[in-house]
Amino acid sequence: MKLYVYDHCPFCVRARMPFGLKNIPFELAFMANDDEETPIRMIGKKMAPILEDKDGHMGESLDIVHKVDGLSGERLFGGTPRREISDWLKTWGGTVNALVIPRTPDPVFPEFRTASARAYFTEKKEATFGAFDGLLAETETHKAEIQKGLGALASFLPDAEAATIDDIMLFPTLRSLSIVPDLTLPEPVEAYRTRMAERSGVPLVSELRKAA
């Protein structure tokens, strides 16, 4: 069983999590961000994650989560996330993107080891989010905003020692924020993020930098 991903991608983090949380062995493959041929060959479009197994190829992160969830033990990731989690992600998603997207084409991620891959991502995302230089210039404003959101999140965090659909939806966003330098999370949120990274086997960006 092989999972093709981009390391920076929160949807790919979703798909990786059940393997770690349920101790299911798999092979992890990082695609270059400008490699269009590989995903198109497998599922007909440039998208990640992609699960390859005896049944063929599957895209869509939550479909992969549900398939992997059924491979071992009790199902953990059914249902829908708590409304507080869904509402938080909707409310703060724009602020998270403003902080994360312009920092994403970083060679700490395997998919951005080449200049062409970084340029590909930058061109595509600037067309959607605006010039990265402008977003980076607004860093302190966006950091102040997300601090408010993170403070609110601390009151309804999932249990990091359990494993539910709440974790599948929330942790990828918190992991994405680990690329933002000098962003201090409230202690309960940082503790949750650190523990979920350990349990899921998806390291934070700070750990990737140590290993680089």
Side-chain angles (χ1 to χ4, degrees):
M1 186 172 289
K2 189 171 185 177
L3 187 67
Y4 293 83
V5 301
Y6 306 126
D7 201 4
H8 76 276
C9 165
F11 300 101
C12 298
V13 172
R14 283 184 190 173
R16 293 166 66 179
M17 290 177 70
F19 288 102
L21 291 169
K22 301 190 82 169
N23 296 309
I24 297 171
F26 75 113
E27 180 181 353
L28 187 62
F30 297 108
M31 299 182 289
N33 196 254
D34 57 344
D35 174 7
E36 296 182 342
E37 188 276 332
T38 298
I40 290 173
R41 172 173 49 81
M42 289 190 285
I43 59 171
K45 53 187 170 180
K46 185 182 184 299
M47 186 177 79
I50 301 168
L51 179 67
E52 180 181 68
D53 65 6
K54 60 182 176 57
D55 298 322
H57 296 98
M58 172 185 285
E60 299 296 344
S61 60
L62 290 180
D63 289 345
I64 294 170
V65 167
H66 295 317
K67 181 167 188 174
V68 175
D69 193 18
L71 296 178
S72 176
E74 176 187 359
R75 283 190 174 272
L76 301 177
F77 308 117
T80 57
R82 284 180 291 147
R83 183 170 181 177
E84 299 97 319
I85 299 293
S86 296
D87 287 350
W88 189 90
L89 291 168
K90 290 176 184 175
T91 298
W92 298 103
T95 306
V96 170
N97 283 336
L99 286 165
V100 170
I101 293 294
R103 294 174 167 83
T104 294
D106 185 318
V108 73
F109 296 123
E111 60 267 30
F112 295 124
R113 296 282 160 79
T114 66
S116 64
R118 296 192 293 274
Y120 179 96
F121 179 91
T122 299
E123 180 181 355
K124 297 285 187 182
K125 296 302 181 182
E126 284 192 330
T128 300
F129 295 98
F132 285 1
D133 286 347
L135 292 171
L136 291 170
E138 298 170 349
T139 291
E140 293 308 314
T141 297
H142 295 307
K143 282 172 69 174
E145 284 298 307
I146 200 61
Q147 292 282 8
K148 298 175 187 176
L150 293 167
L153 176 63
S155 66
F156 52 87
L157 280 170
D159 178 359
E161 299 305 322
T164 72
I165 192 65
D166 285 352
D167 303 299
I168 298 295
M169 302 305 291
L170 178 62
F171 171 72
T173 292
L174 297 179
R175 194 258 188 171
S176 291
L177 283 169
S178 68
I179 200 171
V180 182
D182 303 318
L183 178 64
T184 302
L185 276 62
E187 190 281 329
V189 180
E190 185 61 73
Y192 168 82
R193 181 171 72 171
T194 299
R195 180 59 177 146
M196 192 52 61
E198 293 170 350
R199 294 190 62 221
S200 66
V202 182
L204 303 178
V205 174
S206 56
E207 296 303 310
L208 296 180
R209 294 201 190 285
K210 290 177 185 177

